[in-house]
Amino acid sequence: DIQMTQSPSSLSASVGDRVTITCRASQGISNSLAWYQQKPGKAPKLLLYAASRLESGVPSRFSGSGSGTDYTLTISSLQPEDFATYYCQQYYSTLWTFGQGTKVEIK
Amino acid sequence: QVQLQESGPGLVKPSQTLSLTCTVSGGSISSGSYYWSWIRQPAGKGLEWIGRIYTSGSTNYNPSLKSRVTISVDTSKNQFSLKLSSVTAADTAVYYCARVVAAAGRVSFDYWGQGTLVTVSS
């Protein structure tokens, strides 16, 4: 299995802050990575795929980058509706795996 | 607009089989380059991918659950289903069904059901 490790597990930030979440794979995944946002009691929502491609309808303040084993999700200016838990997911291998999640809380 | 809706018992006894169905509306389950997948999430925890099925019927399962999981598709009803046998309390979770778009360079869960809580308890 490819293990996905996110850091930090949680963070506190203020509206307007720039926020970066990191996802590290246990082996190279060739940009085969998606990011999801999940709010309490709701299903996850796709934000980005192929590490840096923005899903249609997702605000441009969300961006992704990385290569090999290390990837980041950046929110350029945190908005009130962005407080949520974020998950990375690799699809490089036949067995798809998620990171453990990063909870973004209000400071 | 594609919509997915999970249905099935919310309470299952230990050692029995959990059975859920996902009904797809707003599009044919047979069209396009899509997989159909199940994911679960225990309360307060992260997401665990359970398995997927292609409309051809080919399946892939999470090895940690493979011996207990069966995913099937009924194209005539535009549904796909999950069966998980020999359940224990550890299988208590919110279960989501999702569509997986599978195009060049892109494999991601783009549409999700709202999720259904399944509790394993006697």
Side-chain angles (χ1 to χ4, degrees):
Chain A
D1 305 6
I2 297 178
Q3 307 300 320
M4 306 300 293
T5 304
Q6 289 182 232
S7 59
S9 296
S10 64
L11 64 90
S12 296
S14 300
V15 172
D17 284 353
R18 181 181 181 89
V19 169
T20 298
I21 297 168
T22 296
C23 182
R24 173 166 288 176
S26 59
Q27 66 183 74
I29 57 171
S30 297
N31 289 357
S32 300
L33 185 87
W35 288 98
Y36 301 85
Q37 174 194 66
Q38 187 180 32
K39 296 182 179 179
K42 300 293 187 182
K45 173 188 173 183
L46 176 63
L47 298 176
L48 299 108
Y49 59 92
S52 61
R53 299 283 186 95
L54 203 63
E55 175 71 351
S56 175
V58 174
S60 59
R61 62 180 180 272
F62 291 94
S63 64
S65 64
S67 63
T69 60
D70 295 329
Y71 299 86
T72 59
L73 170 68
T74 298
I75 309 172
S76 60
S77 178
L78 199 65
Q79 298 301 300
E81 60 269 31
D82 301 336
F83 291 95
T85 300
Y86 294 85
Y87 293 92
C88 61
Q89 174 242 331
Q90 66 80 20
Y91 49 87
Y92 181 78
S93 74
T94 303
L95 165 56
W96 300 336
T97 47
F98 291 90
Q100 83 277 16
T102 295
K103 187 173 184 179
V104 177
E105 298 176 299
I106 301 173
K107 196 171 197 178
Chain B
Q1 176 81 351
V2 173
Q3 292 185 310
L4 293 86
Q5 178 68 57
E6 305 90 352
S7 60
L11 180 65
V12 181
K13 288 182 167 46
S15 80
Q16 293 190 342
T17 296
L18 177 161
S19 296
L20 295 174
T21 296
C22 183
T23 301
V24 179
S25 58
S28 170
I29 202 170
S30 302
S31 65
S33 298
Y34 303 116
Y35 291 96
W36 303 91
S37 194
W38 289 95
I39 303 100
R40 69 181 183 178
Q41 185 173 38
K45 296 189 177 180
L47 301 163
E48 180 181 30
W49 174 71
I50 298 171
R52 64 177 176 264
I53 190 166
Y54 197 60
T55 48
S56 64
S58 65
T59 54
N60 293 93
Y61 300 127
N62 188 325
S64 70
L65 299 169
K66 187 174 183 178
S67 63
R68 299 193 292 131
V69 172
T70 303
I71 296 176
S72 58
V73 64
D74 186 337
T75 54
S76 67
K77 295 182 179 179
N78 231 34
Q79 296 175 334
F80 64 106
S81 298
L82 169 70
K83 290 188 186 298
L84 181 65
S85 63
S86 304
V87 296
T88 69
D91 295 310
T92 294
V94 174
Y95 285 75
Y96 294 101
C97 61
R99 188 181 84 168
V100 183
V101 59
R106 169 181 185 170
V107 177
S108 46
F109 302 93
D110 63 344
Y111 286 97
W112 296 67
Q114 64 185 26
T116 187
L117 174 63
V118 178
T119 301
V120 178
S121 175
S122 55

